[in-house]
Amino acid sequence: MQGSNRRTMFFVAEKQHMPAEKWEFEIVHARDVNTPAEVATALQDCQKNYGQHFFIPVLTDPFEYKEKDQVIPLQPEQLFFMDYTRPEDIDQARILEIGLGSGILSMFCLHKGARHCTGLDINPRAKIFCGYNTLLNNLDHLLEIKDGNVADVFAPVAGNRFDFIYSNPPFEPTPPGMDYYFNSAAGIYGLTFVDALLKDVDQYLSDNGVFQMVTMAPGNEQDAFMLYELIEKHLPGSAVEVILDLQPITYDAFVDRFVSIFGEDAQSIQLMKEEAARNGVSHLHMLVLKYRKGVKGNIQTSRTHKTYETWSSPLGVTNTLYSSLAL
């Protein structure tokens, strides 16, 4: 809760039953912590239970933290990103993350062989949490944290190129004028930052470099067609892979949360629904997008092998998604 020292500690581990050429990750434990001593105890308990098993400890805000500078708790989307990252894309790569948050994706990439990471974020608290988490993971020597720039996303790294650029950008359809989370607000279709990333990413990728993004995008029940329109606009004639999660949510059900959780005006939300309907938008899809610079082709769509996002972990309310993960 705001004004307290309450935080949430997550532990992400690699599943051990997977074949050597495929990895898959899961959150094996989560607990609330209030003091450095409790963080230390959580680390000791996880080490005792998992021994030499690879895991990533991450400190975040709790789900119910409602200030705009929330450092987002771990969600199924981060696991989705990890599971669909190809080892060869990050091995010895010079990498850039747009929107660090807690730093979980960058720490994953560094643990899995990336050479050096530059990370951008506009949220001062996110930069503090990310720095702390890299210390917990002994990765601080491999990460450079820079101030982000909303008006020009890539301005902080002007003149640089990277082998792997990635993001879990703000993607929630957000009521106009709402002072919402830094980590989530993205216009009424949730595409403000996605548009900015696709527009300029090509010039910051090295030759044969890869851009990967886990996000949510609007469309109908079958496809995220508004994202496809942006891809065709900014990366015409390029081979782009889009992996759709198995379970979309309706646009109406998602934006209704702004009334029930955050007390937004119901009429404002109704206007959002009506505009979405006029544009053929009925659903929102969680997805991973992959693009390799210079490869010609078209948009190829596939589905995940399992459901990642069940839509049971909204921000702003106490969450029980990980309550069973006790050591």
Side-chain angles (χ1 to χ4, degrees), residues 250-313:
T250 66
Y251 183 91
D252 289 3
F254 189 91
V255 299
D256 278 342
R257 295 174 172 184
F258 289 107
V259 177
S260 61
I261 297 175
F262 296 96
E264 283 295 297
D265 177 58
Q267 182 58 33
S268 170
I269 302 305
Q270 182 60 32
L271 291 173
M272 291 176 66
K273 294 178 184 179
E274 290 172 3
E275 178 167 339
R278 283 194 297 271
N279 287 286
V281 171
S282 60
H283 286 73
L284 299 165
H285 296 263
M286 193 65 69
L287 59 90
V288 165
L289 177 152
K290 292 172 173 285
Y291 160 70
R292 184 176 295 277
K293 184 176 180 178
V295 178
K296 299 302 180 183
N298 50 31
I299 301 169
Q300 297 292 323
T301 303
S302 61
R303 304 277 172 176
T304 53
H305 65 283
K306 67 177 184 179
T307 298
Y308 284 90
E309 181 56 81
T310 60
W311 310 106
S312 59
S313 56

Side-chain angles (χ1 to χ4, degrees), residues 94 154-162 203-205:
R94 188 164 174 255
F154 289 98
V157 292
N160 291 279
R161 292 194 175 191
F162 300 87
Q203 61 185 295
Y204 293 92
L205 284 170

Side-chain angles (χ1 to χ4, degrees), residues 1 38 50 55 84 86 111 117 130 145 168 194 224 256 268 271 294 300 312 318 324:
M1 67 182 68
E38 290 179 357
Y50 292 97
F55 63 85
Y84 282 86
R86 299 185 182 98
H111 274 304
C117 175
C130 182
I145 300 174
N168 177 194
V194 171
D256 278 342
S268 170
L271 291 173
Q300 297 292 323
S312 59
T318 301
S324 64

Side-chain angles (χ1 to χ4, degrees), residues 30-47:
R31 71 167 70 170
D32 289 338
V33 293
N34 297 290
T35 66
E38 290 179 357
V39 171
T41 298
L43 288 166
Q44 291 167 2
D45 289 347
C46 208
Q47 185 65 49

Side-chain angles (χ1 to χ4, degrees), residues 72-272:
I72 194 167
L74 295 200
Q75 298 269 43
E77 69 216 45
Q78 285 95 33
L79 302 178
F80 187 4
F81 176 97
M82 295 178 196
D83 289 355
Y84 282 86
T85 300
R86 299 185 182 98
E88 62 269 22
D89 290 343
I90 56 177
D91 186 46
Q92 292 302 303
R94 188 164 174 255
I95 65 177
L96 170 68
E97 180 170 15
I98 310 293
L100 276 166
S102 66
I104 178 60
L105 298 185
S106 287
M107 290 185 293
F108 158 73
C109 290
L110 290 168
H111 274 304
K112 287 300 183 179
R115 181 175 54 178
H116 182 270
C117 175
T118 301
L120 311 181
D121 208 297
I122 64 168
N123 183 355
R125 290 182 75 253
K127 287 175 277 190
I128 292 169
F129 274 66
C130 182
Y132 181 83
N133 286 326
T134 57
L135 286 166
L136 286 180
N137 285 271
N138 194 31
L139 295 169
D140 51 295
H141 58 297
L142 298 176
L143 175 67
E144 179 184 10
I145 300 174
K146 289 177 171 284
D147 292 338
N149 186 325
V150 174
D152 186 349
V153 171
F154 289 98
V157 292
N160 291 279
R161 292 194 175 191
F162 300 87
D163 306 311
F164 187 72
I165 298 175
Y166 56 106
S167 185
N168 177 194
F171 58 58
E172 290 194 21
T174 311
M178 183 180 180
D179 194 23
Y180 194 48
Y181 296 124
F182 288 127
N183 61 43
S184 298
I188 70 166
Y189 290 116
L191 291 173
T192 303
F193 287 90
V194 171
D195 188 19
L197 288 167
L198 292 174
K199 173 176 169 287
D200 292 326
V201 69
D202 218 39
Q203 61 185 295
Y204 293 92
L205 284 170
S206 61
D207 293 341
N208 206 41
V210 170
F211 172 58
Q212 181 168 315
M213 170 173 61
V214 60
T215 191
M216 186 168 71
N220 53 34
E221 189 172 4
Q222 289 74 40
D223 285 304
F225 67 79
M226 279 196 162
L227 174 67
Y228 304 163
E229 291 169 2
L230 289 179
I231 294 170
E232 290 167 354
K233 175 182 176 182
H234 297 306
L235 300 171
S238 298
V240 178
E241 181 182 4
V242 176
I243 306 152
L244 297 171
D245 198 8
L246 293 178
Q247 184 176 316
I249 187 172
T250 66
Y251 183 91
D252 289 3
F254 189 91
V255 299
D256 278 342
R257 295 174 172 184
F258 289 107
V259 177
S260 61
I261 297 175
F262 296 96
E264 283 295 297
D265 177 58
Q267 182 58 33
S268 170
I269 302 305
Q270 182 60 32
L271 291 173
M272 291 176 66

